[in-house]
Amino acid sequence: MIARRIRVHGLVQGVGFRWSMAHEARSLGLVGWVRNRSDGSVEAHAEGDTAAIEALVAWSHEGPRFARVTHVEVDDAQPIGAVIFDIEP
């Protein structure tokens, strides 16, 4: 199991990005969380197998239909032992 911190920049708030990312992550069997940041980006912590994490990162470059992603940052993270993929306020 690996963990990654993903930050997505662009028009990513108010377009269903968190809900869509949580749905995608759950379908890939990942656990963690996703939340909006005060700077207008979306941040996620994802844990799971390498292929699933890579698939979520690839999805993050597009996001849901109305998102306009300009930049995605991906950093290694420490697993936190999450048991679901949650949407944080």
Side-chain angles (χ1 to χ4, degrees):
M1 177 182 293
I2 65 168
R4 296 289 185 267
R5 184 69 52 104
I6 305 165
R7 286 223 18 222
V8 186
H9 301 267
L11 177 60
V12 292
Q13 290 188 15
V15 294
F17 203 99
R18 289 180 304 155
W19 184 89
S20 296
M21 179 179 259
H23 178 75
E24 185 71 17
R26 291 172 187 146
S27 73
L28 292 166
L30 298 172
V31 297
W33 50 260
V34 60
R35 66 181 172 202
N36 286 337
R37 294 188 44 101
S38 61
D39 66 359
S41 67
V42 169
E43 178 181 30
H45 173 92
E47 299 178 14
D49 69 51
T50 302
I53 296 281
E54 290 173 357
L56 184 65
V57 169
W59 178 90
S60 297
H61 285 273
E62 294 294 323
R65 180 179 183 179
F66 295 108
R68 298 293 175 257
V69 176
T70 59
H71 180 67
V72 177
E73 300 171 52
V74 181
D75 295 302
D76 292 342
Q78 293 296 317
I80 58 173
V83 294
I84 62 169
F85 199 94
D86 199 17
I87 300 170
E88 295 189 350

